[in-house]
Amino acid sequence: MVYIFCRALLRLLYGLLFRLQAVGREHVPTEGPVILASNHLSVLDPPTIGIKLQRKVNFMAKAELFDIPLFGRLIRQCGAFPVKRGGVSKESIRASIELLSNGGMMGIFPEGTRKSSGEAGKKGAAMIALRSGAAIVPVYIEGNYKLFRKMIVRYGPPVDLSDIIAEPSSDALERVTERIMNEIRSLRKK
């Protein structure tokens, strides 16, 4: 209930303040495990990639945020779960895989931190996807969160990993990570 209310409120605010448009929502599966893998520009990105979708999107959030009175409770009720600073912990990986094995959807930023280039990717999204069997939908956020300027969130078709899964190798995580990052970059307007 809290998630639905917050999503509706943020849809209104992002629509008015950032003129947010969503392109390619039809690529996001309506059921089953899904990972939304996006570029990362701002702390405003998690709502940006989730509010235009009908399904609940869960995110990892740094553990310190859960210690903030009221805010910690709010983000937990909106589907966030804690991750410790300095990398993804076993607990957060376990929570991600459990969420996905129950048919949930989560958002992740493979760059690991906010960047404007979209070049580097960490292996966490690839590892979680391979372990869970979730579909990976690339997402690209375009814009700069300036008031009354248009923001666009683009969803691409799920990343095809069939060749990597069919012939696993020692560099599978690197190959999956590279493919995810390439698919995210391919959504950038030319």
Side-chain angles (χ1 to χ4, degrees):
M1 187 69 159
V2 172
Y3 184 86
I4 293 169
F5 173 77
C6 289
R7 180 178 61 195
L9 179 62
L10 289 172
R11 276 182 184 170
L12 178 66
L13 290 174
Y14 275 54
L16 292 171
L17 299 177
F18 306 122
R19 298 176 44 215
L20 181 63
Q21 293 181 328
V23 177
R25 284 182 282 192
E26 69 276 6
H27 296 301
V28 180
T30 57
E31 56 186 38
V34 176
I35 296 172
L36 300 175
S38 179
N39 64 319
H40 198 11
L41 306 174
S42 164
V43 297
L44 300 173
D45 292 344
T48 301
I49 70 172
I51 60 175
K52 291 287 190 166
L53 301 175
Q54 292 304 311
R55 293 181 66 184
K56 181 178 184 177
V57 182
N58 301 271
F59 288 91
M60 292 181 192
K62 61 183 178 178
E64 295 84 3
L65 294 176
F66 293 87
D67 296 332
I68 301 171
L70 298 176
F71 183 72
R73 183 190 292 175
L74 177 66
I75 62 173
R76 191 175 300 279
Q77 289 180 348
C78 286
F81 54 97
V83 61
K84 295 178 184 167
R85 274 185 179 266
V88 179
S89 66
K90 288 180 183 177
E91 295 84 26
S92 55
I93 291 171
R94 199 173 300 123
S96 299
I97 292 171
E98 183 178 334
L99 169 81
L100 294 166
S101 68
N102 290 326
M105 181 161 57
M106 69 177 288
I108 195 165
F109 302 100
E111 296 165 317
T113 187
R114 294 180 299 276
K115 297 181 182 183
S116 59
S117 64
E119 292 176 16
K122 298 192 184 299
K123 299 176 198 169
M127 181 186 57
I128 292 169
L130 290 174
R131 286 189 184 179
S132 68
I136 304 170
V137 174
V139 181
Y140 188 79
I141 301 168
E142 180 182 311
N144 55 15
Y145 294 101
K146 297 228 178 189
L147 291 180
F148 311 114
R149 301 261 176 96
K150 189 188 313 189
M151 295 285 302
I152 300 173
V153 58
R154 299 182 199 288
Y155 303 93
V159 178
D160 181 10
L161 301 175
S162 57
D163 59 323
I164 298 173
I165 293 169
E167 294 185 34
S169 62
S170 60
D171 66 342
L173 286 177
E174 289 86 2
R175 291 169 53 213
V176 171
T177 301
E178 184 177 336
R179 185 156 310 160
I180 291 169
M181 296 308 296
N182 286 339
E183 292 294 326
I184 293 169
R185 284 190 288 272
S186 76
L187 297 171
R188 190 173 14 201
K189 188 175 177 184
K190 304 205 185 230

